[in-house]
Amino acid sequence: MSIRPWRDIARRPSRQIMVGNVPVGGDAPVTVQTMTNTPTEDAAATIDQIRRCEEAGADIVRVSCPDVASTAALGQIVRAAKVPIVADIHFHYKRALEAADAGAACLRINPGNIGSSDRVAEVVRAAKANGCAIRIGVNAGSLEKDLLEKYGEPCPEALVESALDHIKLLQDHDFHEYKVAVKASDVFLAVAAYQQLADAVDCPLHLGITEAGGLIGGTVKSSIGMGSLLWFGIGDTIRVSLSAEPEEEVRVGFEILKALGIRNRGVRVVSCPSCARQGFDVIRTVQALEERLQHIRTPMSLSVLGCVVNGPGEARETDIGITGGGNGKHMVYLSGVTDHHVQDTDMIEHIVRLVEAKAAEIEAIDAAAKLAAA
């Protein structure tokens, strides 16, 4: 048992599939996805956006392929990307065939929208021939007419039945390299549907609260919905759907995982909301540090507290900490222990240098440990 059992999350067992060279499900880390919003036929713009998403930490990136021009550009995009590319296909099965041939690592489809069983069979053959996974994407906003008539409205049972119907179409063609999403913009509906689906299938689940909203509102909805599911062990890959740039989706996704201790990347900042006791401008300092430290990928923690009420206690739990003092003179903590003071004018640059040095130290220790184990 863990020494802090209240933090333990028991992951739902699932089969593992491969999306390109990235494992999804099983004991693989929960991956973070996003989707480009550039016209896919503009390969240069799309590649540039994918690069920014990669730098933010994206494990997988999806691009929309609604027409021939998009799938024609896909080969160039796939070759330039460092992460697996998912091709988003909605209705025309030929786009799926073209995307598979162009090197897509995964096809996002609803098999029931593709057409006849023969067309589904063609898509499956193309996926098998090219080593593509398939993501079944059920959405409350586009449920099949017969299910809406049966249930009267989008509900968890309708989303799950749709997913099971689509799964059967793939299994009938002996295809099993799939993951499934049952997304809704209603947090309650999405969570209930994923809970029911998790009990019904053993495939990896792709989590999302669809059309969640803007950066703040969408982050809140996604954190509540996906955070609840992840806390109870449900979910193998996530996409935060925001009306914001895709790299912001990646950052929010990692923050959700970091908050739950599921996966750590970069600096986890612990900071106070500030008050009249603050010895420095906490809000502006945290904003500046978060911006300056985006390049750090090594997991570590930083506390930024404005005064000595909670500052020392929080600093004891972080790699680096700073607590506001009087007359522009603030205490710096290293590994939870008081170490030295820093003045207002040097504070941000000083903390950035300390974080970079600590990251390099952690990386060197990790590299030495791997070398010793080899």
Side-chain angles (χ1 to χ4, degrees):
M1 180 181 288
S2 166
I3 61 170
R4 296 183 179 90
W6 61 90
R7 293 184 182 175
D8 293 344
I9 293 176
R11 182 103 170 260
R12 162 188 168 268
S14 68
R15 291 187 292 107
Q16 188 174 100
I17 68 169
M18 297 298 297
V19 177
N21 61 355
V22 174
V24 176
D27 60 355
V30 176
T31 51
V32 176
Q33 304 194 24
T34 187
M35 185 173 183
T36 58
N37 56 31
T38 52
T40 306
E41 65 266 24
D42 186 343
T46 303
I47 290 166
D48 184 59
Q49 193 169 72
I50 290 170
R51 193 72 70 237
R52 294 198 299 275
C53 295
E54 291 170 341
E55 290 171 357
D59 300 296
I60 299 169
V61 175
R62 179 160 44 116
V63 303
S64 185
C65 291
D67 49 37
V68 175
S70 297
T71 53
L74 192 59
Q76 181 182 350
I77 293 167
V78 167
R79 288 191 297 273
K82 299 174 184 175
V83 297
I85 300 298
V86 178
D88 197 85
I89 312 295
H90 281 278
F91 299 108
H92 207 301
Y93 81 104
K94 286 190 176 179
R95 301 294 82 78
L97 305 181
E98 293 159 0
D101 288 341
C106 181
L107 306 174
R108 185 275 188 196
I109 64 170
N110 280 351
N113 291 346
I114 293 297
S116 65
S117 178
D118 288 343
R119 288 183 174 180
V120 174
E122 282 196 60
V123 172
V124 167
R125 280 196 295 271
K128 286 182 176 180
N130 291 282
C132 285
I134 288 178
R135 198 259 280 190
I136 295 170
V138 175
N139 193 304
S142 57
L143 275 172
E144 295 89 333
K145 185 178 179 181
D146 63 318
L147 291 175
L148 289 174
E149 291 174 351
K150 177 179 178 178
Y151 291 100
E153 65 175 357
C155 62
E157 291 77 14
L159 268 68
V160 172
E161 185 170 333
S162 176
L164 294 177
D165 288 344
H166 292 311
I167 287 172
K168 187 175 186 304
L169 286 173
L170 294 184
Q171 290 180 335
D172 286 347
H173 294 284
D174 194 30
F175 190 86
H176 306 281
E177 298 301 302
Y178 58 82
K179 52 194 174 82
V180 183
V182 281
K183 295 186 178 183
S185 58
D186 181 312
V187 173
F188 298 96
L189 174 55
V191 170
Y194 275 111
Q195 288 173 327
Q196 289 188 22
L197 186 64
D199 290 335
V201 299
D202 70 346
C203 62
L205 298 184
H206 171 119
L207 299 190
I209 306 298
T210 195
E211 288 97 35
L215 182 57
I216 294 177
T219 294
V220 171
K221 286 178 68 175
S222 297
S223 299
I224 292 170
M226 289 193 286
S228 299
L229 291 164
L230 289 163
W231 196 340
F232 290 99
I234 297 171
D236 303 288
T237 185
I238 67 172
R239 189 265 172 113
V240 180
S241 297
L242 302 176
S243 300
E245 293 305 316
E247 55 265 38
E248 294 297 335
E249 295 186 348
V250 177
R251 294 185 184 110
V252 172
F254 270 101
E255 289 299 325
I256 292 172
L257 296 180
K258 282 160 69 174
L260 291 167
I262 291 173
R263 189 170 171 197
N264 291 309
R265 180 189 189 275
V267 182
R268 176 176 61 86
V269 177
V270 177
S271 62
C272 67
S274 80
C275 69
R277 296 190 304 267
Q278 64 182 358
F280 57 86
D281 188 336
V282 173
I283 292 173
R284 249 57 65 183
T285 298
V286 170
Q287 288 174 343
L289 287 171
E290 287 184 334
E291 180 67 28
R292 292 284 305 277
L293 297 174
Q294 285 184 14
H295 66 291
I296 302 294
R297 300 187 178 191
T298 305
M300 57 185 301
S301 53
L302 167 67
S303 58
V304 183
L305 279 292
C307 75
V308 296
V309 172
N310 292 319
E314 294 293 352
R316 280 196 294 270
E317 303 296 324
T318 54
D319 294 304
I320 296 169
I322 184 162
T323 296
N327 301 316
K329 188 177 181 181
H330 315 299
M331 177 58 71
V332 175
Y333 300 74
L334 301 180
S335 301
V337 179
T338 55
D339 194 84
H340 59 276
H341 289 91
V342 64
Q343 297 291 333
D344 262 335
T345 52
D346 303 320
M347 183 172 61
I348 291 175
E349 290 295 333
H350 186 69
I351 295 299
V352 170
R353 289 196 298 271
L354 287 175
V355 169
E356 290 175 338
K358 184 65 177 180
E361 176 190 334
I362 293 170
E363 290 168 9
I365 291 171
D366 289 346
K370 289 178 182 176
L371 188 62

